């Protein structure tokens, strides 16, 4: 049941709020019918009043394709100006008190900090000093990723937040956890014995996790040049995918049981081998037929920036289930397509019985491909004998697509905002989990900052040219190629698409 509450968005005129938070809040009210329970307060440094912010909200909703929102906007949306870096939040506390009185709210509050990581500590301290960490109802604080910029800063931030809020009040958000297909990973694995019984070192040869984006950094250079792809994507989104695809079954579906299982998995990851690390930065090139500038020519990016926009690496997990199975993680900006997927490659049969021309083995590795974007679903690839006298194998697939079976999938933010309002922390990252994840990437970030080779790849390509993808470097056959021996592949480097997306 939804309790009446005030939803406060710090960073209320920022990009994330306009594109995601306002449309998602509105959609929740429509879909869940909670408009009567919810009042929204935007906080920003812009000189706006309530009326001005209502216009801003209407415009943002309209840009997201949502019109006809007047009653909600005019009755339940407010604004408070707080200058950047302001530590004294007395005026905000007064505004909150006035809104809660006017709407008869019992003091249930969400503070969503849609802010760059550097701004978070000041706001947390300011909220506490203004008496806003406690209330007659519940108080929840939402912190966007990246949480800190390395292990030490994440630990420091955890300590700071814990001085003012209990862990049960903190929602570290990673929007990948709200994606329907990511949430389905748990159902896929733990509701289907067919798959889960094959999900281990005896059956699986390798797992690839790829998140490719065609977008560049847009107008976010100030944030991005300090963060880079490791902090922006790898430490959080891809690592969450890794945890969900590899974790043990939780003993229940309670939030703590799931989060315990994820932490246990992250703690079993071996030190990342820097020999297997490839870093890249996009140069100029073409996307969808149009030319785009290289990263160093994006507005406000230093001409000698060494910030990576592409990373690929290998993860090994030292536990009974996964010992010896490599996980290849890669992500990059300015690739030809937007595409996120997890490919589970199964071991080839121990002996090849099906030989084709030149005595080559005709069997392909079975794969399960979990497609997270753009067309959510999954595929199971397997061999069949093609009809005819000669014994010839061809690869075919069974395919399930969400769009074929269900209506519109909710936006990830919609799911997560609703969970925050309901007080469900399952899809949020716990303090020990965020620290376990940074522990993996501190050495990778140090390498990137200290001269690890950075390859420039043309925008519109699948990453650094001339480099073997990790899966090829490991001598594993590319899915779909004719296998001559399980160890060697003479196939030239191929794109993620060629490798079985
Ligand atoms: C964000 C990153 O967290 O995720 C962006 O900061 C990235 O750089 C985005 O573009 C990708 O999200 P999605 O949902 O479009 O895959």
């Amino acid at each position: 049941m939804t309790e009446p509450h005030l939803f406060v968005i710090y960073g209320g005129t920022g990009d994330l709020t306009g594109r995601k938070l306002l449309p998602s809040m509105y959609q929740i009210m429509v879909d869940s019918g909670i408009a009567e329970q919810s009042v929204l307060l935007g906080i920003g440094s812009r000189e706006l009043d309530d009326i001005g912010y209502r216009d801003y909200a209407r415009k943002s909703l309209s840009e997201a394709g949502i019109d006809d929102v007047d009653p909600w906007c005019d009755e339940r949306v407010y604004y408070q100006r707080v200058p950047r870096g302001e530590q004294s939040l007395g005026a905000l506390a007064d505004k909150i008190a006035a809104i809660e009185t006017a709407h008869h709210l019992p003091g249930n509050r969400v503070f969503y900090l849609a802010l760059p990581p550097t701004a978070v500590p000041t706001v947390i301290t300011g909220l506490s000093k203004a008496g806003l960490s406690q209330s007659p109802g519940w108080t929840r604080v939402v912190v966007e990723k990246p949480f800190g910029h390395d292990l030490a800063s994440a630990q420091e931030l955890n300590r700071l937040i814990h001085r003012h809020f209990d862990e049960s009040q903190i929602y570290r958000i990673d929007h990948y956890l709200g994606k329907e297909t990511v949430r389905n990973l748990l159902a896929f694995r733990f509701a289907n014995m067919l798959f889960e019984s094959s999900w281990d070192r005896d059956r699986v040869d390798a797992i690839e996790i790829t998140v490719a984006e065609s977008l560049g950094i847009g107008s976010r250079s100030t944030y991005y040049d300090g963060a880079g792809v490791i902090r922006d994507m790898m430490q959080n989104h891809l690592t969450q995918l890794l945890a969900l695809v590899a974790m043990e079954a939780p003993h229940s579906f309670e939030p703590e049981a799931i989060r315990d299982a994820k932490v246990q998995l992250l703690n079993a990851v071996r030190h990342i081998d820097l020999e297997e690390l490839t870093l890249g930065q996009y140069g100029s090139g073409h996307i969808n037929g149009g030319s785009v500038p290289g990263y160093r020519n994006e507005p406000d990016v230093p001409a000698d920036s060494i910030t990576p926009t592409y990373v690929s690496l290998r993860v090994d997990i030292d536990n009974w289930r996964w010992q010896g199975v490599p996980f290849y993680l890669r992500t990059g900006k300015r690739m030809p397509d937007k595409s996120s997927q997890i490919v589970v490659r199964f071991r080839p049969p121990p002996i090849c019985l099906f030989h084709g021309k030149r005595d080559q083995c005709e069997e392909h590795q079975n794969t399960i491909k979990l497609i997270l974007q753009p067309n959510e679903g999954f595929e199971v690839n397997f061999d069949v004998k093609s009809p005819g006298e000669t014994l010839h194998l061809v690869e075919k697939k069974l395919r399930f697509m969400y769009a074929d079976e269900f209506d519109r999938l909710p936006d990830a933010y919609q799911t997560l905002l609703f969970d925050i309002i309901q007080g469900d922390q399952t899809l949020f990252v716990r303090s020990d989990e965020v620290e376990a994840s940074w522990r993996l990437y501190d050495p990778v970030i140090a390498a990137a900052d200290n001269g690890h080779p950075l390859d420039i790849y043309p925008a519109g390509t699948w990453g650094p040219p001339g480099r073997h993808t990790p899966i090829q470097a490991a001598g594993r056959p590319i899915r779909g190629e004719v296998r001559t021996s399980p160890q060697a592949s003479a196939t030239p480097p191929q794109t993620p698409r060629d490798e079985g997306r």
Side-chain angles (χ1 to χ4, degrees):
M1 199 194 74
T2 305
E3 296 173 279
H5 61 273
L6 177 64
F7 201 101
V8 183
I9 304 180
Y10 230 108
T13 55
D15 175 67
L16 178 68
T17 302
R19 272 188 316 108
K20 293 288 183 187
L21 303 185
L22 288 171
S24 298
M25 275 303 282
Y26 184 76
Q27 207 60 55
I28 289 173
M29 286 178 224
V30 174
D31 292 358
S32 316
I34 64 163
E36 291 301 307
Q37 275 80 41
S38 200
V39 179
L40 189 138
L41 170 63
I43 302 175
S45 56
R46 284 197 213 170
E47 295 279 1
L48 289 175
D49 56 10
D50 292 341
I51 308 278
Y53 192 63
R54 287 168 185 168
D55 288 343
Y56 171 83
R58 255 193 299 269
K59 189 162 163 280
S60 303
L61 294 174
S62 169
E63 280 167 8
I66 303 169
D67 292 304
D68 207 15
V69 291
D70 290 2
W72 178 70
C73 264
D74 289 343
E75 290 159 20
R76 311 188 80 84
V77 173
Y78 295 87
Y79 183 76
Q80 174 68 33
R81 178 171 183 270
V82 175
R84 257 192 208 113
E86 175 65 64
Q87 298 184 356
S88 163
L89 301 181
L92 174 63
D94 292 345
K95 179 88 176 193
I96 289 176
I99 296 172
E100 288 182 342
T101 304
H103 288 274
H104 309 292
L105 298 178
N108 296 327
R109 300 167 189 160
V110 175
F111 290 100
Y112 194 121
L113 311 190
L115 298 170
T118 46
V120 172
T122 309
V123 174
I124 292 285
T125 316
L127 289 175
S128 177
K129 276 196 192 148
L132 292 169
S133 56
Q134 303 294 335
S135 77
W138 45 254
T139 301
R140 295 172 190 149
V141 179
V142 187
V143 187
E144 265 291 338
K145 57 130 283 245
F147 187 87
H149 59 270
D150 56 12
L151 175 59
S153 61
Q155 288 171 325
E156 179 53 36
L157 189 52
N158 274 332
R159 277 195 293 273
L160 173 87
I161 299 185
H162 287 153
R163 278 203 286 279
H164 306 290
F165 295 93
D166 186 75
E167 181 65 24
S168 62
Q169 296 177 277
I170 304 164
Y171 291 69
R172 293 175 197 78
I173 197 163
D174 179 319
H175 79 275
Y176 266 52
L177 289 176
K179 287 180 187 283
E180 202 59 35
T181 35
V182 174
R183 295 169 70 209
N184 184 51
L185 261 171
L186 294 182
F188 184 85
R189 288 189 56 197
F190 301 126
N192 296 298
M193 277 310 283
L194 175 64
F195 303 125
E196 186 55 18
S197 57
S198 315
W199 219 254
D200 60 24
R201 65 193 303 272
D202 293 333
R203 300 278 177 263
V204 174
D205 183 40
I207 296 187
E208 295 168 65
I209 302 178
T210 303
V211 177
E213 296 185 88
S214 55
L215 288 179
I217 57 158
S219 56
R220 300 193 306 153
S221 60
T222 318
Y223 153 73
Y224 195 89
D225 202 57
V229 67
I230 303 163
R231 293 185 177 96
D232 186 51
M233 297 290 290
M234 185 60 83
Q235 182 270 336
N236 31 73
H237 301 330
L238 277 88
T239 304
Q240 286 296 328
L241 298 181
L242 170 74
L244 292 174
V245 86
M247 72 188 222
E248 296 302 316
H251 62 78
S252 77
F253 217 68
E254 291 302 309
E256 293 318 316
I258 294 174
R259 302 201 297 178
D260 284 347
K262 282 161 62 190
V263 173
Q264 199 182 14
L265 186 279
L266 293 178
N267 285 338
V269 173
R270 196 186 303 163
H271 193 77
I272 290 170
D273 182 356
L274 299 178
E275 292 287 312
E276 303 264 5
L277 171 68
T278 299
L279 298 174
Q281 186 190 72
Y282 63 82
S284 58
H286 292 85
I287 302 269
N288 295 330
S291 61
V292 295
Y295 177 74
R296 291 176 188 172
N297 293 112
E298 297 279 17
D300 301 325
V301 171
D304 57 355
S305 171
I306 57 162
T307 299
T309 61
Y310 171 96
V311 57
S312 78
L313 48 81
R314 167 180 169 147
V315 166
D316 287 273
I317 299 170
D318 286 331
N319 66 11
W320 279 53
R321 185 190 283 261
W322 294 120
Q323 182 60 238
V325 179
F327 287 70
Y328 297 107
L329 275 55
R330 64 190 149 170
T331 177
K333 291 207 181 284
R334 284 292 189 222
M335 318 227 109
D337 279 340
K338 184 174 178 69
S339 153
S340 306
Q341 60 178 29
I342 299 171
V343 180
V344 181
R345 293 166 187 270
F346 290 88
R347 289 187 183 284
I351 292 173
C352 181
L353 295 179
F354 302 94
H355 296 272
K357 287 183 196 144
R358 299 193 301 280
D359 210 26
Q360 284 174 324
C361 183
E362 281 216 321
E363 295 157 12
H364 304 92
Q365 280 181 286
N366 293 148
T367 57
I368 292 180
K369 197 196 294 180
L370 300 146
I371 307 166
L372 311 178
Q373 300 186 115
N375 304 310
E376 297 88 347
F378 62 83
E379 278 177 20
V380 180
N381 292 276
F382 54 94
D383 280 342
V384 295
K385 179 190 166 302
S386 84
E389 279 177 19
T390 54
L391 215 156
H392 177 53
L393 298 187
V394 288
E395 200 181 20
K396 293 287 170 196
K397 59 179 88 156
L398 287 172
R399 201 173 155 88
F400 161 82
M401 288 286 126
Y402 267 88
D404 297 340
E405 305 290 336
F406 299 106
D407 294 340
R408 174 183 71 86
L409 294 182
D411 182 81
Y413 275 97
Q414 189 181 330
T415 302
L416 295 172
L417 296 192
F418 190 68
D419 283 359
I420 295 163
I421 293 168
Q422 303 299 318
D424 182 347
Q425 288 186 305
T426 312
L427 299 176
F428 297 84
V429 183
R430 209 168 56 188
S431 57
D432 52 346
E433 191 178 346
V434 81
E435 291 181 15
S437 173
W438 277 119
R439 202 165 282 122
L440 299 178
Y441 295 107
D442 264 9
V444 178
I445 291 169
D449 290 345
N450 292 293
H452 191 89
L454 178 76
D455 295 334
I456 305 296
Y457 59 97
T461 64
W462 290 109
R467 277 213 174 237
H468 282 232
T469 59
I471 197 158
Q472 288 168 306
R476 285 182 150 74
I478 304 301
R479 194 183 69 76
E481 89 181 52
V482 175
R483 187 154 45 88
T484 48
S485 94
Q487 271 77 42
S489 163
T491 314
Q494 297 182 18
T495 65
R497 182 182 291 288
D498 298 319
E499 288 177 24
R501 292 182 323 116

